[in-house]
């Protein structure tokens, strides 16, 4: 008894569905174990909470606040010529190209093959028999045109493309982080360059005063009111002061070399640098923002978010491998052995094929679950790296705020100390000139004044450097929270909705560029 054709089709469809479902391998309950921190829920500490809320986010050229055109030129040269940044840019371009490779899997593939050969057939009945080709020279040509298209029902290819795009985003954010680090390091080196000049001025002034005291002690000895001990005491510090000046000259030259290297140039480029003219009138207040936005401006945090998003897509790719694959395939070709050169193009020699190709993961020795487990572990690692980056970012911001407030107070104290020490030195010097005070008082007060002046210079330089570090901690104007992925793309797709999710994303992924956030 024959079944109606409709029932045959239904039975065939049911059988095919049963085969497909039975071919889906089990995931064994493997899933990620870590969760990304909610930065807004973290306690930022008293320093951040107490900071003023009137300032804006740093500009991309935040270093111009120092008001030094030479520094502006150095930063521009460093960004344009530093080998580290050039390598980072190359990594970004590499990731963008790899994303293009992943995108190609979403498109139909058409391939052509052509083989044109001239062949002589042996006159050997053991192989060919007494046929027409025996001892003949003929054309043996083939030409085929093949078409294939992976339906990607479960979104594996789409997620692989998204993962590649996320990797490109991550590398772009890391490149911005490298640029910011370079800018901060260059500004801090330039601040040190300025500090060495200031310390050399202090040492030079101290040496000049000491030489005046030596001359005064010698005049007092010649006038019969001084002693050889006073002259010896005045001469004793001279070599040490001269050594300090030479050491500071060395530090200045080393800073020249360092600045030249940061700009990607040889040491000779540093010889043209003149004395810095730094000033700093910028506010150190924080912008009005939630903690989540506070750290969201940092390129390293943005990069860590993209790494989590990419790892989530890796889980989706591993999940898709548990389901059957269906490819649509077709070919058209011509084949001819013998006859004219273009015999293979004749219709009589043509052939074609068309149809779907189905592959099922039935037994794979646990390889699929192992790959899924590796993807889950990679996601957990990316999440914990993001969490650690968030915690470190908040700490760095709080540290710089604490340091800047402390340095502001220290600078006032150091300036008052230098004023008192100068007054004591002046009084001791006048007393010594008039014979009312021992020279030891001059030595003690001069040493105190020297130390106080050095402290003022060092505290001022530390404040300039701390401001640069704060600008780096806040992101340096190179990134914004919108540059990163949204919270939804940082999670793996729900199991069981892979196909729906993937099919809905095909168009958006194809239009999504490596420089634009999802």
């Amino acid at each position: 008894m024959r079944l109606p054709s409709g029932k045959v089709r239904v039975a065939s469809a049911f059988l095919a569905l049963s085969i497909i479902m039975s071919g889906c391998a089990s995931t064994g309950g493997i899933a990620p174990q870590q969760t990304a921190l909610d930065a807004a829920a973290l306690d930022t500490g008293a320093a951040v909470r107490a900071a003023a809320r009137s300032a804006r986010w740093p500009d991309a050229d935040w270093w111009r606040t120092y008001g030094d055109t030479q520094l502006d030129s150095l930063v521009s040269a460093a960004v344009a010529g530093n080998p580290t940044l050039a390598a980072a840019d190359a990594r970004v371009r590499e990731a963008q190209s790899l994303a293009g490779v992943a995108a190609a899997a979403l498109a139909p593939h058409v391939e052509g093959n052509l083989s044109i050969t001239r062949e002589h057939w042996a006159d050997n009945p053991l192989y060919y028999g007494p046929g027409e080709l025996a001892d003949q020279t003929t054309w043996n040509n083939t030409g085929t045109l093949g078409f294939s298209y992976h339906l990607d029902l479960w979104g594996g290819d789409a997620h692989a493309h998204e993962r590649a795009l996320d990797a490109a985003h991550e590398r772009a954010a890391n490149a911005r982080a490298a640029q910011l680090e370079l800018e901060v390091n260059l500004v801090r080196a330039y601040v040190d360059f300025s500090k060495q000049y200031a310390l050399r001025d202090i040492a030079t002034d101290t040496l000049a005063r000491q030489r005046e005291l030596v001359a005064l002690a010698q005049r007092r000895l010649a006038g019969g009111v001084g002693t050889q001990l006073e002259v010896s005491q005045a001469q004793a510090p001279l070599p040490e002061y001269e050594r300090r000046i030479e050491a500071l000259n060395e530090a200045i030259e080393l800073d020249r070399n360092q600045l030249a290297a940061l700009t990607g140039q040889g040491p000779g480029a540093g010889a043209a640098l003149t004395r810095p003219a730094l000033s700093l009138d910028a506010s150190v207040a924080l912008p009005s923002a939630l903690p989540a936005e506070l750290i969201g401006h940092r390129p390293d945090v943005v990069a860590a978010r993209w790494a989590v998003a990419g790892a989530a897509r890796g889980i989706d790719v591993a999940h898709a491998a548990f389901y059957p694959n269906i490819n649509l395939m077709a070919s058209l070709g011509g084949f001819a052995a013998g006859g004219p050169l273009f015999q293979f193009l004749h219709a009589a020699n043509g052939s074609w094929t068309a149809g779907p190709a189905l592959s099922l993961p039935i037994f794979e020795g646990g390889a699929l679950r192992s790959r899924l487990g590796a993807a889950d572990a990679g996601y957990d690692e990316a999440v914990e790296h993001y969490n650690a980056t968030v915690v470190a970012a908040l700490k760095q911001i709080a540290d710089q705020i604490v340091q800047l407030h402390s340095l502001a107070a220290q600078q006032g104290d150091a300036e008052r100390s230098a004023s008192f020490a100068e007054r004591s030195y002046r009084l001791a010097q006048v007393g010594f000139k008039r014979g009312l005070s021992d020279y030891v008082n001059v030595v003690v007060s001069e040493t105190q004044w020297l130390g106080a002046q050095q402290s003022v210079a060092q505290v001022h330089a530390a404040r300039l450097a701390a401001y640069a570090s704060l600008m780096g901690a806040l992101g340096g104007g190179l990134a914004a929270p919108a540059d990163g992925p949204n919270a939804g793309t940082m999670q793996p797709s729900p199991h069981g909705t892979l196909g729906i999710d993937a099919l809905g994303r095909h168009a958006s992924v194809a239009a999504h560029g490596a420089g634009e956030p999802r």
Side-chain angles (χ1 to χ4, degrees):
M1 176 181 177
R2 297 185 59 186
L3 293 175
S5 60
K7 292 184 178 180
V8 171
R9 287 194 295 269
V10 172
S12 300
F14 179 77
L15 178 61
L17 181 62
S18 299
I19 294 175
I20 291 174
M21 296 308 296
S22 65
C24 297
S26 171
T27 62
I30 300 173
Q33 302 177 14
Q34 306 302 328
T35 304
L37 287 175
D38 180 5
L42 295 177
D43 185 356
T44 58
V48 175
R49 290 194 299 270
R53 301 287 180 168
S54 58
R56 62 179 182 178
W57 290 109
D59 293 324
D61 55 353
W62 55 269
W63 59 86
R64 294 186 183 276
T65 302
Y66 291 91
D68 191 318
T69 56
Q70 182 173 243
L71 174 60
D72 299 341
S73 299
L74 282 173
V75 175
S76 298
V79 171
N82 186 272
T84 301
L85 294 189
D89 179 69
R91 288 192 291 270
V92 173
R93 288 185 281 109
E94 178 188 27
Q96 290 173 335
S97 297
L98 292 175
V101 173
L106 298 170
H109 287 194
V110 178
E111 296 182 354
N113 293 286
L114 177 65
S115 173
I116 298 178
T117 59
R118 187 75 167 157
E119 183 172 354
H120 179 77
W121 303 85
D123 185 11
N124 190 334
L126 294 178
Y127 289 96
Y128 303 111
E132 296 181 359
L133 298 179
D135 197 26
Q136 298 293 317
T137 301
T138 65
W139 290 104
N140 185 24
N141 303 334
T142 62
T144 59
L145 191 64
F147 168 86
S148 64
Y149 179 60
H150 183 210
L151 293 182
D152 194 27
L153 295 178
W154 317 111
D157 292 342
H159 289 311
H161 180 216
E162 288 186 349
R163 180 176 58 181
L165 288 174
D166 292 342
H169 284 300
E170 179 188 358
R171 289 195 181 184
N174 281 327
R176 294 198 295 270
Q179 177 183 338
L180 179 58
E181 181 180 7
L182 173 63
E183 292 169 357
V184 172
N185 288 341
L186 191 145
V187 170
R188 290 179 64 91
Y190 195 77
V191 168
D192 188 77
F193 188 45
S194 177
K195 182 185 73 173
Q196 302 305 332
Y197 271 105
L199 293 176
R200 189 180 70 175
D201 288 345
I202 295 171
T204 301
D205 291 343
T206 302
L207 177 60
R209 288 195 305 271
Q210 192 62 34
R211 285 172 175 168
E212 291 175 359
L213 290 173
V214 170
L216 175 60
Q218 289 173 338
R219 288 196 300 271
R220 284 168 55 84
L221 178 62
V225 294
T227 65
Q228 286 286 355
L229 177 59
E230 291 176 345
V231 173
S232 178
Q233 287 176 327
Q235 291 174 334
L238 291 178
E240 174 60 20
Y241 291 154
E242 291 169 347
R243 185 201 65 79
R244 289 183 183 181
I245 292 174
E246 181 56 36
L248 291 167
N249 286 332
E250 176 192 5
I252 289 173
E253 293 306 313
L254 292 177
D255 280 341
R256 290 180 187 275
N257 294 343
Q258 174 68 7
L259 290 168
L262 288 172
T263 59
Q265 303 179 77
L273 296 177
T274 60
R275 179 171 182 160
L278 290 171
S279 64
L280 181 59
D281 299 322
S283 169
V284 297
L286 289 179
S288 178
L290 294 175
E293 186 179 0
L294 188 70
I295 62 171
H297 285 73
R298 291 173 56 111
D300 59 340
V301 173
V302 173
R305 289 176 62 85
W306 281 118
V308 173
R313 300 291 74 74
I315 293 176
D316 294 338
V317 171
H319 264 300
F322 283 76
Y323 296 86
N325 277 321
I326 299 178
N327 290 288
L328 299 181
M329 307 184 70
S331 66
L332 176 66
F335 311 88
L341 174 63
F342 297 106
Q343 182 68 26
F344 73 103
L345 295 178
H346 291 183
N349 295 318
S351 67
W352 60 270
T353 62
L358 174 68
S359 62
L360 304 174
I362 297 175
F363 179 76
E364 31 63 48
L368 292 178
R369 282 192 292 274
S370 296
R371 293 191 187 100
L372 179 59
D376 286 336
Y379 177 81
D380 290 340
E381 181 183 1
V383 167
E384 290 304 330
H385 173 70
Y386 168 74
N387 293 341
T389 303
V390 168
V391 172
L394 288 176
K395 174 187 178 296
Q396 188 178 14
I397 293 171
D399 286 351
Q400 297 309 319
I401 294 171
V402 169
Q403 187 175 15
L404 279 167
H405 286 311
S406 175
L407 288 171
Q410 289 181 48
Q411 186 166 334
D413 295 338
E415 289 171 351
R416 288 195 303 274
S417 176
S419 178
F420 292 146
E422 181 182 8
R423 184 170 182 271
S424 296
Y425 171 74
R426 300 299 183 194
L427 292 174
Q429 187 181 38
V430 171
F432 176 66
K433 288 180 179 180
R434 296 178 179 179
L436 303 175
S437 174
D438 189 83
Y439 182 72
V440 173
N441 293 328
V442 178
V443 173
V444 171
S445 60
E446 183 183 41
T447 301
Q448 291 175 341
W449 188 23
L450 172 62
Q453 287 178 295
Q454 291 174 335
S455 295
V456 170
Q458 289 168 346
V459 170
H460 180 66
R463 183 171 180 270
L464 296 176
Y467 180 82
S469 296
L470 178 60
M471 295 300 99
L474 292 175
L478 295 180
D483 292 338
N486 58 51
T489 59
M490 293 177 64
Q491 299 291 333
S493 299
H495 183 57
T497 62
L498 290 173
I500 298 174
D501 180 66
L503 292 173
R505 289 190 185 184
H506 270 294
S508 62
V509 170
H512 175 54
E516 304 169 358
R518 294 201 306 271

